[in-house]
Amino acid sequence: MARDAGAEIVVLPHPNLEAYLDEKAFPAHVRLASYARDDFQELVAEAGMVITDYSSNAFEAAIAGRAVLYYQFDRDNFYAGGHVYRKGYFDYEADGFGPVATDLDGALAEIAALAATGFSRPDLYEERARAAFAACDGTSCAKVVEAIEAGIVGRAGRRTSTNDK
């Protein structure tokens, strides 16, 4: 699928797993990346899609406008206490930035569907990303300057209260 889509497969393992992986064990068409030698933000910015399990890296991908797939092959074990994670407010299926697949066939089907669209993010997930990052509208620098000029931040860089005026 990657070859047909003109895409490169890049695997960026969790830093705790890097020491256990041998680059030579990966097929020639798969590049093993590393947090130590690769720029994570650059990898995400250049990606067509990001496949993750439960990682907050999906937020980085979503804010960068990338398609996301959650591949949660171990979900039953993960939520049954097989991991330090405890379920919180974020529900991957209701709030996530891409589809959730729980088995290989489902993941491959989702990858194929995204590849067929040139890795365009489906409208549902585009809307979720826009809602989650509404303040990220390309005017952050202007907002900071405006806040400084309005006196919200004092000369020493500390926040001033309205009583200080």
Side-chain angles (χ1 to χ4, degrees):
M1 277 191 284
R3 183 177 48 250
D4 291 344
E8 176 186 29
I9 299 173
V10 178
V11 174
L12 180 64
H14 190 282
N16 291 346
L17 295 177
E18 285 184 25
Y20 301 101
L21 299 177
D22 180 2
E23 203 163 349
K24 291 177 240 141
F26 284 78
H29 65 278
V30 175
R31 179 165 66 97
L32 181 62
S34 165
Y35 282 93
R37 69 175 186 269
D38 295 288
D39 183 322
F40 170 74
Q41 291 177 336
E42 188 175 302
L43 289 173
V44 170
E46 293 175 355
M49 72 179 297
V50 172
I51 302 170
T52 187
D53 50 7
Y54 309 92
S55 175
S56 61
N57 287 344
F59 284 83
E60 300 288 341
I63 201 168
R66 301 298 167 251
V68 172
L69 169 64
Y70 299 97
Y71 180 30
Q72 298 177 346
F73 58 89
D74 62 345
R75 182 163 56 176
D76 292 340
N77 183 44
F78 189 83
Y79 288 130
H83 194 275
V84 295
Y85 176 86
R86 287 184 298 178
K87 201 164 189 172
Y89 75 92
F90 189 82
D91 181 296
Y92 294 91
E93 289 168 327
D95 306 313
F97 304 112
V100 177
T102 57
D103 59 33
L104 182 58
D105 289 338
L108 292 173
E110 294 292 354
I111 294 167
L114 285 166
T117 68
F119 301 105
S120 294
R121 187 164 51 188
D123 290 345
L124 170 65
Y125 306 115
E126 182 67 33
E127 290 168 16
R128 287 182 185 176
R130 252 187 269 137
F133 307 112
C136 299
D137 59 2
T139 63
S140 295
C141 290
K143 290 175 187 174
V144 170
V145 169
E146 184 180 314
I148 291 169
E149 289 175 346
I152 293 174
V153 178
R155 289 183 182 257
R158 63 178 173 76
R159 185 170 174 84
T160 59
S161 74
T162 55
N163 296 334
D164 291 344
K165 290 187 178 178

